[in-house]
Amino acid sequence: MMTIAEIARLAGVSKATVSNVLNGRVDQVSPKTRARIERIIKEYGYVPKRAARSLKSNRTRTIALLFPHLPANLIANTFFFPGFLSGVARACEEASYQLLITTSARSCDTEFHYEALVRSRSVDGFIVSEIFVNDPRFVVLREFRIPFVSIGKPEGEDISWISWVDHNQEEVSYKAVQRLLELGHRDIVFLGLSRGRVYTMQRLAGYSKALKKRGIPLREELILTEEIEKDKVAEKLEKLKEQGIAFSALFVIAESLALSALRALQDLGFRIPQDVSILGNIETDNYRFYVPQLSGIRVRTEDLGYETARLLIDLIEGKVQGPVGKYLEADFVEGCSIGPCGERR
């Protein structure tokens, strides 16, 4: 098989010059030399090693990360994915894989997101994000018999065959709410997204478990679970205040929502944490610069991305046999946004 060294010898140039042409760095090579190298490549039918391996194995060495939302909504309402994407990209680079990212205006659009890509044989496997209870995407991927890994432990009737990577959402939620209870809080607002989302469901289970252990009844009026955008948080909290619903603490499942809640409460005249404590999700290092500094569950988004992509690549290459479920560690960070339950309601 033709090699870069042989092309360089025939063209009378260095291997670095040939590599520049192959990798599109043509501004570093004269047009005449580039033409000579390209003629030799075409004449001898040279195929780069990576492409040759893909042809031989019938693999594209590409994995897909599919977001069931438009990119504008995704970027505007979460701090989670930038770090996660960094971890995925690092795993792909180490294993010489490419990453394909797609989005859709329709949630769980299995036809556009999955069936078209599988039928076109464009990818070797999928990372499934923002999962729901009994998520229909899992069934489609099972029918096509293509490797995939879920971001988050699935919930539903039959999930034993699904590979996933996650933090133990119920457990970390339970411990976080326990901390608020230790500080004397009983009226704790749960601020999350739709209850159909596995992430919300598991965090809510930990919240409920902590209250039940202390003999505190669950108050539905304190559970705010819908597809709320961060700029709508203030409206929800203002409504609670107007209705005279007592609360002394907030447990928030996303950093962007926690930051919005912190600002909204301050605008409503609450002092943090003297009047209301806030315990959130910490997904970036920005929490150190919030005033007051946010307390919460520190999830390692980059590690989650890396481990998810690494597991998927291992499944594709047959290095592990599914299903595989893996929990990562999450830390509790106590900043300045929580304190003992105050007098004000």
Side-chain angles (χ1 to χ4, degrees), residues 167-178:
H167 300 92
N168 191 329
Q169 303 296 346
E170 181 174 339
E171 184 64 19
V172 297
S173 175
Y174 172 75
K175 290 180 178 179
V177 176
Q178 268 194 325

Side-chain angles (χ1 to χ4, degrees), residues 249-293:
L250 269 67
F251 176 57
V252 191
I253 72 169
E255 184 176 333
S256 60
L257 294 179
L259 178 58
S260 297
L262 190 152
R263 290 174 176 170
L265 288 171
Q266 290 172 331
D267 289 343
L268 290 169
F270 291 100
R271 297 170 301 163
I272 312 298
Q274 294 91 336
D275 300 325
V276 179
S277 291
I278 298 180
L279 197 158
N281 218 47
I282 297 176
E283 299 151 10
T284 70
D285 290 331
N286 296 334
Y287 76 95
R288 300 173 181 173
F289 308 108
Y290 301 152
V291 181
Q293 186 183 56

Side-chain angles (χ1 to χ4, degrees), residues 74-269:
L74 184 71
I75 294 170
N77 292 296
T78 182
F79 294 164
F80 173 85
F81 281 108
F84 182 85
L85 286 172
S86 295
V88 172
R90 179 160 57 91
C92 287
E93 183 178 3
E94 288 179 2
S96 297
Y97 272 69
Q98 294 179 323
L99 175 63
L100 172 67
I101 300 176
T102 70
T103 61
S104 172
R106 295 180 292 174
S107 295
C108 299
D109 188 349
T110 56
E111 181 178 353
F112 172 79
H113 264 164
Y114 298 93
E115 295 182 32
L117 283 174
V118 173
R119 294 186 191 282
S120 68
R121 299 183 180 179
S122 301
V123 298
D124 296 329
F126 292 90
I127 294 174
V128 184
S129 71
E130 300 191 65
I131 61 173
F132 293 79
V133 179
N134 290 317
D135 200 303
R137 294 171 290 176
F138 295 144
V139 177
V140 172
L141 292 172
R142 187 179 199 179
E143 290 175 353
F144 281 109
R145 300 191 179 192
I146 188 168
F148 70 91
V149 176
S150 166
I151 308 172
K153 182 182 178 181
E155 298 282 353
E157 295 178 3
D158 180 18
I159 51 86
S160 61
W161 51 276
I162 299 172
S163 293
W164 52 270
V165 180
D166 199 2
H167 300 92
N168 191 329
Q169 303 296 346
E170 181 174 339
E171 184 64 19
V172 297
S173 175
Y174 172 75
K175 290 180 178 179
V177 176
Q178 268 194 325
R179 178 61 185 134
L180 291 174
L181 294 170
E182 289 169 359
L183 291 169
H185 297 281
R186 291 175 56 89
D187 304 318
I188 303 170
V189 173
F190 180 96
L191 181 58
L193 298 175
S194 162
R195 296 195 198 192
R197 290 177 178 269
V198 164
Y199 178 71
T200 300
M201 175 185 176
Q202 292 167 345
R203 287 273 173 120
L204 185 56
Y207 166 91
S208 303
K209 179 181 175 183
L211 293 180
K212 184 177 181 180
K213 186 174 181 181
R214 292 292 185 101
I216 300 173
L218 198 66
R219 294 171 55 193
E220 281 294 329
E221 68 269 24
L222 293 181
I223 301 175
L224 307 179
T225 51
E226 59 181 270
E227 291 300 294
I228 183 174
E229 296 181 359
K230 62 182 182 181
D231 58 353
K232 302 295 183 183
V233 171
E235 295 178 13
K236 297 294 181 183
L237 296 178
E238 187 172 8
K239 187 175 181 181
L240 288 181
K241 183 180 179 182
E242 290 174 351
Q243 293 175 340
I245 297 174
F247 64 93
S248 65
L250 269 67
F251 176 57
V252 191
I253 72 169
E255 184 176 333
S256 60
L257 294 179
L259 178 58
S260 297
L262 190 152
R263 290 174 176 170
L265 288 171
Q266 290 172 331
D267 289 343
L268 290 169

Side-chain angles (χ1 to χ4, degrees), residues 17-54:
T17 301
V18 175
S19 179
N20 285 335
V21 173
L22 289 171
N23 289 286
R25 297 189 289 267
V26 294
D27 57 323
Q28 301 179 34
V29 184
S30 70
K32 185 177 180 181
T33 300
R34 175 188 171 191
R36 186 163 70 251
I37 292 171
E38 289 177 341
R39 176 181 56 79
I40 294 170
I41 289 172
K42 184 177 180 180
E43 181 180 343
Y44 285 88
Y46 172 74
V47 178
K49 285 185 178 180
R50 178 173 172 176
R53 287 197 303 268
S54 296

